Amino acid sequence: MSTFTILLGGDLIRTPRLDRQIEGCRVIAADAGIGHARLLGLVPELWVGDFDSVPANLPDDLAAVPRQTFPAEKDKTDGELAIAAALERGATRLVLAGAFGGKRADHAFLHLSLALRLAETGTGVVLTSGAQEGVPLLLGKTGFDYTDGTLFSILGFSDLAGLTVTGAKWPLNQVEVAFGSSLTISNEVRGGLEIALGHGRALLLAHPYPLPES
């Protein structure tokens, strides 16, 4: 398995869990995401984008990262271009660091939907801000290693059927969930969390390191 960390421009904090997820990864930065390299102690092998959001005062080792430059008027975001570069280099698993928050809600939504598409074609994906993380839910059963008390939600991108949730404060058994329903928002891990999905498209959003203000 070849894992790449993609540094995106959203919010990011450094946590022990994030350090474990990116350990030994190859790294590609998308435009402003290069700023997270300093936080994580990483030097990317490639820096992709139109470079309209370059952080000021980059250290020499980051300023010297090889660049792949694209015009500002293009049909893909810098993040999608960085992901494409990782896949071209043989990535089979992606950690999208800085996938949430930031100034562009449209980019955050794109990262969620793109992660689902990638997972459905066989690429493992974790989206993370350090404080929260997203994992696409494929059909069948998936287990998770979150500790008791971890807040989580299941975001449906379509109608869902055959949804079973065990190891949670509010378990579910073979339920149908209409697209746009809030039924699966704000649950809590109680024991080993397992989620089974029979039909539909969904993503788990968990908060393993909730911020103080949350």
Side-chain angles (χ1 to χ4, degrees):
M1 179 179 292
S2 180
T3 301
F4 278 69
T5 294
I6 308 298
L7 301 178
L8 301 169
D11 300 334
L12 194 69
I13 64 169
R14 187 170 183 175
T15 66
R17 184 178 181 88
L18 178 56
D19 283 344
R20 292 192 299 271
Q21 289 170 333
I22 66 175
E23 184 178 5
C25 288
R26 297 171 67 179
V27 183
I28 295 177
D31 207 340
I34 194 78
H36 295 320
R38 287 182 288 188
L39 172 70
L40 300 175
L42 301 173
V43 177
E45 65 184 66
L46 182 67
W47 188 7
V48 172
D50 54 26
F51 303 104
D52 63 351
S53 306
V54 176
N57 303 315
L58 281 179
D60 291 344
D61 59 344
L62 296 182
V65 169
R67 302 187 185 195
Q68 194 172 86
T69 304
F70 294 85
E73 295 183 354
K74 55 189 183 300
D75 58 4
K76 291 184 179 180
T77 65
D78 295 329
E80 189 173 6
L81 291 168
I83 290 169
L87 295 175
E88 289 172 0
R89 287 162 171 74
T92 56
R93 181 175 179 272
L94 299 170
V95 178
L96 305 184
F100 306 117
K103 298 178 181 179
R104 297 290 301 270
D106 51 350
H107 285 203
F109 178 80
L110 171 69
H111 298 149
L112 294 172
S113 54
L114 182 56
L116 281 172
R117 178 163 64 84
L118 289 166
E120 289 171 351
T121 57
T123 302
V125 185
V126 175
L127 308 97
T128 181
S129 69
Q132 61 180 338
E133 63 185 44
V135 181
L137 295 173
L138 298 177
L139 301 185
K141 182 183 290 186
T142 308
F144 300 90
D145 64 352
Y146 300 119
T147 59
D148 282 7
T150 300
L151 182 69
F152 73 92
S153 297
I154 297 172
L155 307 181
F157 284 71
S158 70
D159 292 341
L160 306 179
L163 178 64
T164 296
V165 179
T166 57
K169 183 176 182 180
W170 291 288
L172 298 172
N173 184 28
Q174 291 287 319
V175 300
E176 296 185 1
V177 183
F179 176 59
S181 169
S182 63
L183 175 68
T184 55
I185 300 298
S186 296
N187 207 334
E188 187 177 303
V189 175
R190 295 282 178 87
L193 177 64
E194 289 189 339
I195 299 173
L197 181 62
H199 178 77
R201 311 178 88 182
L203 183 142
L204 175 74
L205 187 64
H207 300 258
Y209 287 89
L211 297 174
E213 60 268 25
S214 65

